[in-house]
Amino acid sequence: MTFLIYSMIACGVLIMVTNIARYIRFSLSLKDVITGGKGHVGALKITALILLVFFLGGYIFIGFFSKPDLMMAGVLFGGSIFVAIILSLLFRLVFTVKENCLSMTETLIGMIESRDPNLNGHSRYVQNLTMLFYKYLPSEMRKSINALSLEYAALMHDVGKLGIPEKVLNKPGKLDDEEWKIMREHPNLGVKFMSPMRSFENIMPWILYHHERIDGKGYYGLAEEQIPFAAKIISICDTYSAITMRRSYKEPMSHETAMKIISEVAGTQLDENLVRIFASIPKSELEKCVPDVGGLI
């Protein structure tokens, strides 16, 4: 009987250690635009961790410094299983919320863009390209940026074009100075549209500065390391999409032409190191990024 009691407590301790490890990994993952929290949210996460460690201490104390009976051992073992189940349900719930939020955002962007043949599918295309690009980044680069936050920024990078007059947005010819001034406002408009969503604060600079140039001749005059890393990634994908996408005023260009143009502006418009990485992505993989809508190659 004694062996059974201490075996159950030992199993409870191991399960609680596993629970704590799982919770820490989960907490560290809550840094994206959907689950990233500040203030009281961060305090609650720390409090939950302290309680889990406290419970583990209780298991160890009872196992080594008291004389537990079978009932107590059963309660401790069952408690560890209960915590494991609750954590699993929590993880699944958060995953489902993230998945549903992204799906709803993709649907909304798709519905908005479907009204304009020159935007239809562009944001989804840039989103797909960006996430493929992310997979090809070196591990140290991937660690510096949250994947889900990057995905949202790529998907919503041109949301500000909703505030641009159609006569400017769909003009078949070259924009004049006044029209170009209006068009250059779309990153700022996008940030204004998103301002009520406080959890999106971290990705707003990525959207605002996705038209910056390495040489400082972009919309807001930022150069090189002043430009957010994520904005540099989105800029390359946006450029590739713009070149290969069919629009009312131009035919789509080939992958080879797009890569030639992108390589030519590496170091001036686009980040040279990132362009090299993007160029290493197989053509077949890039072609899979085209969304299932009209208006693209």
Side-chain angles (χ1 to χ4, degrees):
M1 183 65 71
T2 301
F3 175 77
L4 177 61
I5 290 173
Y6 282 97
S7 294
M8 292 175 69
I9 294 176
C11 288
V13 169
L14 291 175
I15 294 172
M16 286 302 296
V17 169
T18 302
N19 288 339
I20 291 172
R22 293 174 64 203
Y23 179 77
I24 291 174
R25 288 197 300 271
F26 171 72
S27 296
L28 292 175
S29 72
L30 301 182
K31 295 180 179 179
D32 54 64
V33 293
I34 301 301
T35 58
K38 298 179 181 179
H40 70 282
V41 176
L44 287 174
K45 289 192 294 184
I46 294 173
T47 300
L49 177 59
I50 292 173
L51 288 173
L52 286 172
V53 174
F54 175 77
F55 291 148
L56 175 61
Y59 277 65
I60 295 173
F61 177 82
I62 291 172
F64 283 94
F65 302 104
S66 67
K67 296 180 180 180
D69 55 21
L70 184 59
M71 177 64 74
M72 184 176 293
V75 170
L76 293 175
F77 178 70
S80 66
I81 297 293
F82 177 75
V83 172
I85 293 173
I86 293 299
L87 287 177
S88 295
L89 290 174
L90 175 62
F91 301 161
R92 181 61 189 172
L93 176 62
V94 171
F95 174 79
T96 301
V97 169
K98 288 183 179 182
E99 195 174 54
N100 289 344
C101 284
L102 184 59
S103 296
M104 287 188 290
T105 304
E106 289 172 344
T107 301
L108 179 61
I109 294 294
M111 290 173 63
I112 293 171
E113 288 192 348
S114 65
R115 300 170 59 191
D116 188 337
N118 291 323
L119 287 179
N120 191 17
H122 171 65
S123 294
R124 287 290 303 278
Y125 194 14
V126 174
Q127 174 197 21
N128 294 341
L129 288 168
T130 298
M131 299 320 295
L132 174 64
F133 193 4
Y134 179 81
K135 293 178 182 178
Y136 276 82
L137 293 174
S139 59
E140 63 273 14
M141 288 186 178
R142 290 199 303 272
K143 291 177 182 177
S144 69
I145 191 168
N146 180 272
L148 185 61
S149 296
L150 177 63
E151 188 165 12
Y152 269 94
L155 179 62
M156 303 179 75
H157 77 285
D158 266 350
V159 71
K161 285 186 177 178
L162 296 174
I164 302 299
E166 287 189 18
K167 66 178 182 179
V168 175
L169 199 60
N170 298 326
K171 184 177 179 178
K174 186 177 180 181
L175 300 179
D176 60 33
D177 290 344
E178 187 60 31
E179 291 168 334
W180 186 241
K181 183 179 179 181
I182 294 172
M183 179 64 80
R184 287 164 66 102
E185 278 297 303
H186 81 266
N188 188 45
L189 288 173
V191 169
K192 287 182 178 179
F193 292 159
M194 294 169 58
S195 60
M197 299 181 286
R198 296 185 61 185
S199 64
F200 280 60
E201 288 179 358
N202 290 339
I203 70 170
M204 288 182 186
W206 306 353
I207 293 172
L208 182 62
Y209 299 125
H210 77 275
H211 276 298
E212 295 311 283
R213 294 172 53 106
I214 298 301
D215 59 11
K217 298 179 181 179
Y219 285 14
Y220 300 101
L222 272 63
E224 297 185 352
E225 297 308 313
Q226 294 176 314
I227 306 171
F229 178 60
K232 294 178 182 179
I233 294 173
I234 295 171
S235 180
I236 292 173
C237 297
D238 188 31
T239 301
Y240 182 87
S241 172
I243 296 171
T244 58
M245 183 178 179
R246 176 178 285 107
R247 293 184 175 176
S248 61
Y249 51 86
K250 79 172 186 69
E251 288 297 310
M253 296 184 186
S254 67
H255 164 78
E256 290 73 20
T257 301
M259 294 311 303
K260 181 176 183 294
I261 293 173
I262 288 173
S263 297
E264 288 174 350
V265 298
T268 54
Q269 176 182 336
L270 305 173
D271 184 277
E272 191 170 8
N273 186 36
L274 287 176
V275 166
R276 280 196 295 268
I277 299 172
F278 187 80
S280 71
I281 303 175
K283 176 184 176 181
S284 59
E285 292 295 306
L286 292 170
E287 289 175 340
K288 293 177 184 178
C289 293
V290 179
D292 187 20
V293 295
L296 298 175
I297 55 174

